[in-house]
Amino acid sequence: MPKPRKIPAFNLLDRISKTIEDDGDPDNEPLTFGKHRGQTPNEIFYDDPQYLIWLKKTGSSIPSQELYEEALIEVYKADE
């Protein structure tokens, strides 16, 4: 009698969250450098939008143009 095969566990929720994380949006990719290492630009936006502005001014492709413009608006509103 053949040995029963083990079927790998399949967790649909893990698969869905991986798909969401791997959507190719640079604003959802964690930074691998700097004081906000491990955080995504979207997360940094809420804590330190000035950092996103600084990144963009240094010639970085991070954050996206849309998030950069939102950060500019957020910082401008805070200065009023």
Side-chain angles (χ1 to χ4, degrees):
M1 182 182 218
K3 245 182 172 177
R5 280 183 32 197
K6 282 193 173 186
I7 299 173
F10 178 79
N11 186 331
L12 184 58
L13 291 177
D14 286 345
R15 188 79 118 172
I16 291 170
S17 64
K18 265 194 182 205
T19 303
I20 291 170
E21 289 171 10
D22 298 337
D23 65 358
D25 183 1
D27 292 334
N28 289 326
E29 295 292 322
L31 297 184
T32 58
F33 58 88
K35 69 179 186 178
H36 291 289
R37 179 179 308 161
Q39 291 182 295
T40 66
N42 281 324
E43 293 169 337
I44 296 168
F45 174 80
Y46 295 104
D47 297 330
D48 192 1
Q50 187 69 42
Y51 185 74
L52 297 177
I53 295 168
W54 175 81
L55 273 177
K56 200 65 165 180
K57 286 183 178 180
T58 61
S60 176
S61 61
I62 302 167
S64 67
Q65 186 65 29
E66 293 83 17
L67 190 59
Y68 168 71
E69 290 171 3
E70 287 180 39
L72 283 173
I73 292 167
E74 191 66 27
V75 168
Y76 177 74
K77 284 193 310 188
D79 287 343
E80 288 184 334

